[in-house]
Each structure stands twice: as structure tokens, then as C-alpha cells.
Amino acid sequence: MKNFIIYPALLLLLYNNASGQTLVIKGRVRCQNESPNSTRGAENIIVVPAFIPSKSTTTASTPPGYFECNTGVPFAKLRDKQVSLYIVSGCSQCSEAVKRVFISEDQDRKNNDKTKSYVTVKDWKFNANCNELELPPFRADSMLGVIVRQPAQSIGQITNATALVGTPALLNLLTNITPVIGIVSNAGIFEARELGPGKIKYGGFLFSSALTHTASTGFNFSPARDMSEAVFWNPSAIVKSRTPYNISLLTNVKNNAKLGGYFRLNDRIFIGAGFIYTQQDEYRNTLFVKISNEANTVQIDSFLVKLKEHSAFLAPSFKVNDKLSIGLTVKSIWQNLRIPNLLQITIDDNGSTANTFTDSTVKKQKWDLDLSASYKVSNALQVGINAMNLAGTKLYADAFAAGGSNNYNMQNQRAVGLGGCYKWQRFNFGADMIFTEDGFYDAALGVNYVPFNNALLSAGLAVKQLSYSIAFRIKHFRIAYINDNDLMVNEKRKGKSGILNGGLYGGFIFDF
């Protein structure tokens, strides 16, 4: 009975000691000395534990190439998990720059320290000359200071089958920092010449706002029950409103908003006004060319490109007779682009490299006109048309880099919107389509239903983009989910919950 109590107690004590130990990762980085057969320890190389970059360190000179990263993380949390270690050096082409290490108890041998558990990285050898691999001490310290400020990775969300590879912010930094270190001989001023492919859609916010980013999908060019967006897409329909005044808002509180309204002057004339705002941003690859040497180039993977597009509307409408009404819209259209310009690389007396980026904002503002009409075919059927941007405003169809080609790709905003609405008891069925100078843009089908008094349930689909919306309105307030199928909602960082990444909209509609 005595042994039965003592042995479990000893096992429990040993487990508590093991779980209380912190993980220390150690090893030695080697490089080629004078020939492939002669190696030595590589000094001033930065070793980065991806899951906790604040514990990064540099390899020592005594013994040469040795490193030791005390992670401060309990060994028990990392047991049976795979972690990643990264190397930051002067070699931008070295394929050995990352090591995957499996954490297990059997690797901790001949260790009498009850507070630490050691894992050794073996055979980390680079097939590069030490002079190419090693960093000057001051430069290594400078880079290390940037790396240790990067956020740690959440260990609790990692399964045993997944490697701790690091946060996106850390991976972006490591992607760019080594190539920049490797171009110190190219110090000077570099001009931005080319942007890599991106997801941002330039010059299309007015088209997408009518068919995709709307809670009235399928009913915008011939609105009936819901007049909240009529001021933007067919103000001629406003004169058929059941109330003389309206103010409406629809927004996802992140990158898309519509605010509009109207009021009645008399039985035949209404005046509407509104504002649309959209924004997008993302990281894009940028090619920089040295001004004094065209053959000397630098590639930067994470330049932040931004786009803001918005428009203001003033729209009087006139009732010709009981069947026909017309509208005129005067609008101002804005487009703001943030683009790269110059990269200056300097080297101080200590050999440290500094990179200074210069960017610029391109602003465009244009005035334009819409002409719209609505016709009541019967009590059940009505149609509408809106000839948009008759002055032919052109917006940039992509960001451009200063110093590059002057043949910028432009998107003409001139377009025609057509719509129809069929009414049947509690149901309304609608269809919209847009034709641009490039031909057919997209079409949207919609349906709405009155389940009970002061409520409206609606849904719609854009057939070409395969985007959709679902909305519910009760009295003055509305909530909607709009999925644009990655058409216009592009962000540099997206949240973990997909439903909140620009898709959830809210707002109000006050008819009075």
C-alpha cells in the first residue's frame, strides 16, 4: 500500500517538473569557408523562431555559429508539435533558410536543468560562402531590432499536425528583408516601374454598386416598394413614392457606404441627393529600377496600394403623366490612388542598410450626367432605364507607377442600365442589367416579399458575378448580408470570421 502511494506521487512530481520546463532551441549554423569541403560557424546570422519572433537571436562568434533561443514557452505546450526556424542572412537565394523542428522529449539528452528543456537543430549547413552569408554586426543588430517587434503566433490554435510557421506579418517581413539585405551593393535611388497583379478592381464601383453591393438586388433601375437607392440608379421613379420624404443609409462600416434621400417640391417635382463611398487596399509586388543603371532592379513584395472611389449625386425628377416620369442626375465622381514612386537605399559608415520609400497619391475628380425614365406598362408591370455618365468620364482601371508607361488603362464610365419589375400580391419580381462600352457587364435577378405589415424580405443574385444578397427590413431598420464573390471587397488584412469581412450590412430607411 505504501509503494502504491509513493510511485504515483513520484510520477506526478516528474510530470510537474517536465511541464514546468521552458523550451530552449539551440544549434549551430555553418557556412563554406574557403571551399565546399571546408566549413566553419557562420557569425551574425539572425535565427528567428517563427512562433515567437521576440525571442530571435544572432549566432555567436564563440563558439562560431552557435545560437540558443530561450523561447520562454512551457515545453508541455509545444510537445509533439512542429515549429519553424528562419534564417536572415546576406544570401537571398539560400534554400536552407528555414528549418522544421519537431519538439519531443527524447531530444533533451544529458540535461540536468529542471527549469529548461533543450531541443537541438542538427546539420544546419549552408552551401554558400561565409562572406556572402554573414552580416556586418551593426546590420544584424538593426535587422534583429525590427524582427523582435513582430507579433507572436497563437499556439493554442495550432494542431499537432500543423507547423508553427509564423504570423502573416512576420512572413511578409522575412520575404522582403533578405532580398533587401542582399542588394547593398546597389545602394542608390530606384524608380517604381511596374506593379504586380492584384485583386483590387479599379474604376468599377458605380457598376458594382448597382448590381452587387446593394440590398435591393434586381430592383434598382425600376424600383417599386423600396426607394432607398432610387436616387442613385433611377431617380425618375422617386415621383411614384408613397411618401414625400425619405432618408436611407446602407453600410458595412468598413469599406462601403450609401447615404441618400429625397423630398417633394410639389405633386410633379421631387429632388433627391446621395453619396456613395468605397475603398480597397492590398499589398502588391513592385519592381524598382535604379535611375543611374537600368539593368539594376529591386523587387519588393509588399507595397501597400490603396484605392478610394466615391460619388455625390443631385437628382431632380419630373412626373410627365400617370405612366411616364423622367429624371436628371448631376454627379461628381472622385478616385484616389496611392502608388509607389521611389525607393532610396543608403548604407551608413557601419554598413547598415536603410530603405526609404516615397509614394504619391493620384486624385481624379470629374463631373457627369445621368438621364433616366420610368414607364408604368400596367398596374403589375413597370420598366425603367438610366443612361449613365453621358459625358464619358474615365477612371483609372489600375494603379500605375510614376516613371512607367504613360499609356494608362482607363475605364469609361458611360453605361446604360435597364430594369423591370413585376408585381404579384405579396411578391415583387425584378431584373436589372448594365451595358458598358465593353458590352454586357452583368444582370441581376431579385425577389422581395411582404411577410407581414411593415416588413420586407428580399434576395437577389448577379448572374455573371454569382454574387448575392439577402436582406430583411422591419419598419425603419434593415440588415443585409451581401457576398460580392471577391469582386470589390479587398483588404490587406481580413478577419477570421468570413461573415464579417465586409459582407454584413446594416442601415435605416425613414419614409415620412
Side-chain angles (χ1 to χ4, degrees), residues 252 254 468 470 479-484 489 491 494-506:
N252 62 2
K254 292 185 71 174
Y468 62 88
I470 303 172
I479 187 170
Y481 178 71
I482 301 173
N483 188 322
D484 75 343
V489 179
E491 299 176 280
K494 289 191 175 183
K496 296 179 181 179
S497 175
I499 196 172
L500 298 178
N501 286 330
L504 193 63
Y505 286 66

PDB file of all heavy atoms in Angstrom, residues 252 254 468 470 479-484 489 491 494-506:
ATOM      1  N   ASN A 252     -21.478  48.740 -44.518  1.00  0.00           N
ATOM      2  CA  ASN A 252     -20.860  47.636 -43.782  1.00  0.00           C
ATOM      3  C   ASN A 252     -19.847  48.145 -42.759  1.00  0.00           C
ATOM      4  O   ASN A 252     -19.123  47.359 -42.153  1.00  0.00           O
ATOM      5  CB  ASN A 252     -20.186  46.645 -44.735  1.00  0.00           C
ATOM      6  CG  ASN A 252     -19.051  47.277 -45.526  1.00  0.00           C
ATOM      7  OD1 ASN A 252     -18.723  48.445 -45.359  1.00  0.00           O
ATOM      8  ND2 ASN A 252     -18.445  46.502 -46.402  1.00  0.00           N
ATOM      9  N   LYS A 254     -17.074  49.334 -42.970  1.00  0.00           N
ATOM     10  CA  LYS A 254     -15.665  49.041 -43.225  1.00  0.00           C
ATOM     11  C   LYS A 254     -15.168  49.735 -44.479  1.00  0.00           C
ATOM     12  O   LYS A 254     -14.212  50.487 -44.439  1.00  0.00           O
ATOM     13  CB  LYS A 254     -15.453  47.529 -43.367  1.00  0.00           C
ATOM     14  CG  LYS A 254     -15.668  46.750 -42.088  1.00  0.00           C
ATOM     15  CD  LYS A 254     -15.327  45.287 -42.276  1.00  0.00           C
ATOM     16  CE  LYS A 254     -13.844  45.098 -42.409  1.00  0.00           C
ATOM     17  NZ  LYS A 254     -13.468  43.671 -42.462  1.00  0.00           N
ATOM     18  N   TYR A 468     -24.500  37.619 -54.408  1.00  0.00           N
ATOM     19  CA  TYR A 468     -25.885  37.550 -53.960  1.00  0.00           C
ATOM     20  C   TYR A 468     -26.084  38.409 -52.723  1.00  0.00           C
ATOM     21  O   TYR A 468     -25.128  38.793 -52.040  1.00  0.00           O
ATOM     22  CB  TYR A 468     -26.293  36.101 -53.676  1.00  0.00           C
ATOM     23  CG  TYR A 468     -25.505  35.432 -52.582  1.00  0.00           C
ATOM     24  CD1 TYR A 468     -25.900  35.526 -51.244  1.00  0.00           C
ATOM     25  CD2 TYR A 468     -24.353  34.709 -52.873  1.00  0.00           C
ATOM     26  CE1 TYR A 468     -25.177  34.912 -50.241  1.00  0.00           C
ATOM     27  CE2 TYR A 468     -23.615  34.095 -51.875  1.00  0.00           C
ATOM     28  CZ  TYR A 468     -24.040  34.200 -50.554  1.00  0.00           C
ATOM     29  OH  TYR A 468     -23.311  33.597 -49.553  1.00  0.00           O
ATOM     30  N   ILE A 470     -29.052  39.012 -49.322  1.00  0.00           N
ATOM     31  CA  ILE A 470     -30.243  38.647 -48.555  1.00  0.00           C
ATOM     32  C   ILE A 470     -30.471  39.769 -47.556  1.00  0.00           C
ATOM     33  O   ILE A 470     -29.539  40.167 -46.846  1.00  0.00           O
ATOM     34  CB  ILE A 470     -30.062  37.310 -47.820  1.00  0.00           C
ATOM     35  CG1 ILE A 470     -29.722  36.187 -48.799  1.00  0.00           C
ATOM     36  CG2 ILE A 470     -31.308  36.945 -47.024  1.00  0.00           C
ATOM     37  CD1 ILE A 470     -29.336  34.890 -48.125  1.00  0.00           C
ATOM     38  N   ILE A 479     -31.230  44.955 -42.109  1.00  0.00           N
ATOM     39  CA  ILE A 479     -29.972  44.231 -42.019  1.00  0.00           C
ATOM     40  C   ILE A 479     -29.835  43.372 -43.267  1.00  0.00           C
ATOM     41  O   ILE A 479     -30.828  42.836 -43.766  1.00  0.00           O
ATOM     42  CB  ILE A 479     -29.890  43.377 -40.732  1.00  0.00           C
ATOM     43  CG1 ILE A 479     -28.478  42.784 -40.600  1.00  0.00           C
ATOM     44  CG2 ILE A 479     -30.962  42.301 -40.705  1.00  0.00           C
ATOM     45  CD1 ILE A 479     -28.233  42.136 -39.245  1.00  0.00           C
ATOM     46  N   ALA A 480     -28.620  43.280 -43.790  1.00  0.00           N
ATOM     47  CA  ALA A 480     -28.418  42.544 -45.045  1.00  0.00           C
ATOM     48  C   ALA A 480     -27.075  41.830 -45.007  1.00  0.00           C
ATOM     49  O   ALA A 480     -26.127  42.274 -44.345  1.00  0.00           O
ATOM     50  CB  ALA A 480     -28.465  43.504 -46.236  1.00  0.00           C
ATOM     51  N   TYR A 481     -27.007  40.722 -45.728  1.00  0.00           N
ATOM     52  CA  TYR A 481     -25.739  40.053 -45.979  1.00  0.00           C
ATOM     53  C   TYR A 481     -25.504  40.079 -47.477  1.00  0.00           C
ATOM     54  O   TYR A 481     -26.319  39.587 -48.260  1.00  0.00           O
ATOM     55  CB  TYR A 481     -25.740  38.608 -45.473  1.00  0.00           C
ATOM     56  CG  TYR A 481     -24.430  37.914 -45.776  1.00  0.00           C
ATOM     57  CD1 TYR A 481     -23.275  38.260 -45.084  1.00  0.00           C
ATOM     58  CD2 TYR A 481     -24.335  36.948 -46.771  1.00  0.00           C
ATOM     59  CE1 TYR A 481     -22.058  37.658 -45.365  1.00  0.00           C
ATOM     60  CE2 TYR A 481     -23.128  36.337 -47.058  1.00  0.00           C
ATOM     61  CZ  TYR A 481     -21.993  36.696 -46.352  1.00  0.00           C
ATOM     62  OH  TYR A 481     -20.788  36.102 -46.649  1.00  0.00           O
ATOM     63  N   ILE A 482     -24.374  40.663 -47.890  1.00  0.00           N
ATOM     64  CA  ILE A 482     -24.046  40.824 -49.305  1.00  0.00           C
ATOM     65  C   ILE A 482     -22.709  40.138 -49.563  1.00  0.00           C
ATOM     66  O   ILE A 482     -21.687  40.528 -48.993  1.00  0.00           O
ATOM     67  CB  ILE A 482     -23.973  42.311 -49.692  1.00  0.00           C
ATOM     68  CG1 ILE A 482     -25.313  43.002 -49.416  1.00  0.00           C
ATOM     69  CG2 ILE A 482     -23.581  42.464 -51.161  1.00  0.00           C
ATOM     70  CD1 ILE A 482     -25.278  44.508 -49.610  1.00  0.00           C
ATOM     71  N   ASN A 483     -22.702  39.154 -50.406  1.00  0.00           N
ATOM     72  CA  ASN A 483     -21.479  38.448 -50.788  1.00  0.00           C
ATOM     73  C   ASN A 483     -21.162  38.807 -52.227  1.00  0.00           C
ATOM     74  O   ASN A 483     -21.873  38.415 -53.145  1.00  0.00           O
ATOM     75  CB  ASN A 483     -21.678  36.935 -50.641  1.00  0.00           C
ATOM     76  CG  ASN A 483     -20.384  36.161 -50.836  1.00  0.00           C
ATOM     77  OD1 ASN A 483     -19.556  36.495 -51.685  1.00  0.00           O
ATOM     78  ND2 ASN A 483     -20.205  35.112 -50.046  1.00  0.00           N
ATOM     79  N   ASP A 484     -20.075  39.544 -52.437  1.00  0.00           N
ATOM     80  CA  ASP A 484     -19.739  40.023 -53.785  1.00  0.00           C
ATOM     81  C   ASP A 484     -18.827  39.056 -54.535  1.00  0.00           C
ATOM     82  O   ASP A 484     -18.343  39.379 -55.622  1.00  0.00           O
ATOM     83  CB  ASP A 484     -19.110  41.409 -53.731  1.00  0.00           C
ATOM     84  CG  ASP A 484     -17.661  41.387 -53.239  1.00  0.00           C
ATOM     85  OD1 ASP A 484     -17.253  40.378 -52.638  1.00  0.00           O
ATOM     86  OD2 ASP A 484     -16.956  42.375 -53.454  1.00  0.00           O
ATOM     87  N   VAL A 489     -14.621  43.836 -52.484  1.00  0.00           N
ATOM     88  CA  VAL A 489     -14.218  43.947 -51.087  1.00  0.00           C
ATOM     89  C   VAL A 489     -12.845  43.314 -50.928  1.00  0.00           C
ATOM     90  O   VAL A 489     -12.708  42.123 -50.696  1.00  0.00           O
ATOM     91  CB  VAL A 489     -15.234  43.277 -50.138  1.00  0.00           C
ATOM     92  CG1 VAL A 489     -14.783  43.392 -48.690  1.00  0.00           C
ATOM     93  CG2 VAL A 489     -16.601  43.933 -50.306  1.00  0.00           C
ATOM     94  N   GLU A 491      -9.090  43.672 -48.958  1.00  0.00           N
ATOM     95  CA  GLU A 491      -8.431  44.304 -47.828  1.00  0.00           C
ATOM     96  C   GLU A 491      -7.060  43.682 -47.606  1.00  0.00           C
ATOM     97  O   GLU A 491      -6.852  42.504 -47.892  1.00  0.00           O
ATOM     98  CB  GLU A 491      -9.260  44.124 -46.554  1.00  0.00           C
ATOM     99  CG  GLU A 491     -10.652  44.735 -46.626  1.00  0.00           C
ATOM    100  CD  GLU A 491     -11.436  44.438 -45.365  1.00  0.00           C
ATOM    101  OE1 GLU A 491     -11.969  43.334 -45.235  1.00  0.00           O
ATOM    102  OE2 GLU A 491     -11.491  45.331 -44.502  1.00  0.00           O
ATOM    103  N   LYS A 494      -7.670  40.438 -43.565  1.00  0.00           N
ATOM    104  CA  LYS A 494      -9.037  40.016 -43.352  1.00  0.00           C
ATOM    105  C   LYS A 494      -9.175  39.362 -41.989  1.00  0.00           C
ATOM    106  O   LYS A 494      -8.268  38.703 -41.506  1.00  0.00           O
ATOM    107  CB  LYS A 494      -9.482  39.035 -44.449  1.00  0.00           C
ATOM    108  CG  LYS A 494      -9.675  39.696 -45.801  1.00  0.00           C
ATOM    109  CD  LYS A 494     -10.354  38.759 -46.772  1.00  0.00           C
ATOM    110  CE  LYS A 494     -10.658  39.463 -48.089  1.00  0.00           C
ATOM    111  NZ  LYS A 494     -11.385  38.585 -49.020  1.00  0.00           N
ATOM    112  N   GLY A 495     -10.340  39.545 -41.383  1.00  0.00           N
ATOM    113  CA  GLY A 495     -10.604  38.944 -40.095  1.00  0.00           C
ATOM    114  C   GLY A 495     -10.807  37.442 -40.195  1.00  0.00           C
ATOM    115  O   GLY A 495     -10.906  36.865 -41.272  1.00  0.00           O
ATOM    116  N   LYS A 496     -10.873  36.794 -39.038  1.00  0.00           N
ATOM    117  CA  LYS A 496     -11.026  35.345 -39.005  1.00  0.00           C
ATOM    118  C   LYS A 496     -12.439  34.911 -39.394  1.00  0.00           C
ATOM    119  O   LYS A 496     -12.639  33.833 -39.913  1.00  0.00           O
ATOM    120  CB  LYS A 496     -10.689  34.826 -37.602  1.00  0.00           C
ATOM    121  CG  LYS A 496      -9.239  35.063 -37.209  1.00  0.00           C
ATOM    122  CD  LYS A 496      -8.957  34.556 -35.810  1.00  0.00           C
ATOM    123  CE  LYS A 496      -7.512  34.811 -35.418  1.00  0.00           C
ATOM    124  NZ  LYS A 496      -7.217  34.344 -34.041  1.00  0.00           N
ATOM    125  N   SER A 497     -13.421  35.747 -39.110  1.00  0.00           N
ATOM    126  CA  SER A 497     -14.803  35.393 -39.420  1.00  0.00           C
ATOM    127  C   SER A 497     -15.171  35.899 -40.809  1.00  0.00           C
ATOM    128  O   SER A 497     -15.206  37.096 -41.052  1.00  0.00           O
ATOM    129  CB  SER A 497     -15.753  35.995 -38.379  1.00  0.00           C
ATOM    130  OG  SER A 497     -17.102  35.759 -38.734  1.00  0.00           O
ATOM    131  N   GLY A 498     -15.437  34.985 -41.728  1.00  0.00           N
ATOM    132  CA  GLY A 498     -15.734  35.372 -43.102  1.00  0.00           C
ATOM    133  C   GLY A 498     -16.985  36.210 -43.227  1.00  0.00           C
ATOM    134  O   GLY A 498     -17.081  37.093 -44.072  1.00  0.00           O
ATOM    135  N   ILE A 499     -17.987  35.965 -42.364  1.00  0.00           N
ATOM    136  CA  ILE A 499     -19.255  36.693 -42.481  1.00  0.00           C
ATOM    137  C   ILE A 499     -19.085  38.164 -42.135  1.00  0.00           C
ATOM    138  O   ILE A 499     -19.886  39.002 -42.546  1.00  0.00           O
ATOM    139  CB  ILE A 499     -20.331  36.037 -41.584  1.00  0.00           C
ATOM    140  CG1 ILE A 499     -21.733  36.531 -41.980  1.00  0.00           C
ATOM    141  CG2 ILE A 499     -20.073  36.323 -40.115  1.00  0.00           C
ATOM    142  CD1 ILE A 499     -22.854  35.804 -41.300  1.00  0.00           C
ATOM    143  N   LEU A 500     -18.031  38.510 -41.391  1.00  0.00           N
ATOM    144  CA  LEU A 500     -17.822  39.901 -41.001  1.00  0.00           C
ATOM    145  C   LEU A 500     -16.858  40.636 -41.921  1.00  0.00           C
ATOM    146  O   LEU A 500     -16.622  41.816 -41.743  1.00  0.00           O
ATOM    147  CB  LEU A 500     -17.292  39.957 -39.561  1.00  0.00           C
ATOM    148  CG  LEU A 500     -18.224  39.380 -38.482  1.00  0.00           C
ATOM    149  CD1 LEU A 500     -17.556  39.460 -37.126  1.00  0.00           C
ATOM    150  CD2 LEU A 500     -19.550  40.120 -38.462  1.00  0.00           C
ATOM    151  N   ASN A 501     -16.285  39.965 -42.894  1.00  0.00           N
ATOM    152  CA  ASN A 501     -15.312  40.594 -43.782  1.00  0.00           C
ATOM    153  C   ASN A 501     -15.994  41.403 -44.883  1.00  0.00           C
ATOM    154  O   ASN A 501     -15.898  41.102 -46.053  1.00  0.00           O
ATOM    155  CB  ASN A 501     -14.398  39.534 -44.400  1.00  0.00           C
ATOM    156  CG  ASN A 501     -13.393  39.004 -43.411  1.00  0.00           C
ATOM    157  OD1 ASN A 501     -12.988  39.722 -42.505  1.00  0.00           O
ATOM    158  ND2 ASN A 501     -13.002  37.763 -43.560  1.00  0.00           N
ATOM    159  N   GLY A 502     -16.689  42.444 -44.481  1.00  0.00           N
ATOM    160  CA  GLY A 502     -17.310  43.339 -45.446  1.00  0.00           C
ATOM    161  C   GLY A 502     -18.657  42.876 -45.952  1.00  0.00           C
ATOM    162  O   GLY A 502     -19.263  43.546 -46.780  1.00  0.00           O
ATOM    163  N   GLY A 503     -19.154  41.722 -45.499  1.00  0.00           N
ATOM    164  CA  GLY A 503     -20.398  41.200 -46.045  1.00  0.00           C
ATOM    165  C   GLY A 503     -21.641  41.560 -45.265  1.00  0.00           C
ATOM    166  O   GLY A 503     -22.748  41.504 -45.797  1.00  0.00           O
ATOM    167  N   LEU A 504     -21.489  41.907 -44.009  1.00  0.00           N
ATOM    168  CA  LEU A 504     -22.649  42.212 -43.175  1.00  0.00           C
ATOM    169  C   LEU A 504     -22.934  43.710 -43.216  1.00  0.00           C
ATOM    170  O   LEU A 504     -22.096  44.522 -42.841  1.00  0.00           O
ATOM    171  CB  LEU A 504     -22.379  41.757 -41.736  1.00  0.00           C
ATOM    172  CG  LEU A 504     -23.588  41.709 -40.803  1.00  0.00           C
ATOM    173  CD1 LEU A 504     -24.603  40.696 -41.304  1.00  0.00           C
ATOM    174  CD2 LEU A 504     -23.150  41.378 -39.378  1.00  0.00           C
ATOM    175  N   TYR A 505     -24.129  44.063 -43.694  1.00  0.00           N
ATOM    176  CA  TYR A 505     -24.538  45.460 -43.852  1.00  0.00           C
ATOM    177  C   TYR A 505     -25.706  45.761 -42.914  1.00  0.00           C
ATOM    178  O   TYR A 505     -26.480  44.879 -42.560  1.00  0.00           O
ATOM    179  CB  TYR A 505     -24.983  45.742 -45.281  1.00  0.00           C
ATOM    180  CG  TYR A 505     -23.864  45.838 -46.293  1.00  0.00           C
ATOM    181  CD1 TYR A 505     -23.087  44.737 -46.621  1.00  0.00           C
ATOM    182  CD2 TYR A 505     -23.583  47.039 -46.939  1.00  0.00           C
ATOM    183  CE1 TYR A 505     -22.060  44.801 -47.555  1.00  0.00           C
ATOM    184  CE2 TYR A 505     -22.555  47.129 -47.884  1.00  0.00           C
ATOM    185  CZ  TYR A 505     -21.804  46.005 -48.168  1.00  0.00           C
ATOM    186  OH  TYR A 505     -20.798  46.093 -49.105  1.00  0.00           O
ATOM    187  N   GLY A 506     -25.808  47.025 -42.580  1.00  0.00           N
ATOM    188  CA  GLY A 506     -26.939  47.485 -41.788  1.00  0.00           C
ATOM    189  C   GLY A 506     -27.302  48.885 -42.225  1.00  0.00           C
ATOM    190  O   GLY A 506     -26.593  49.530 -42.994  1.00  0.00           O
TER     191      GLY A 506
END
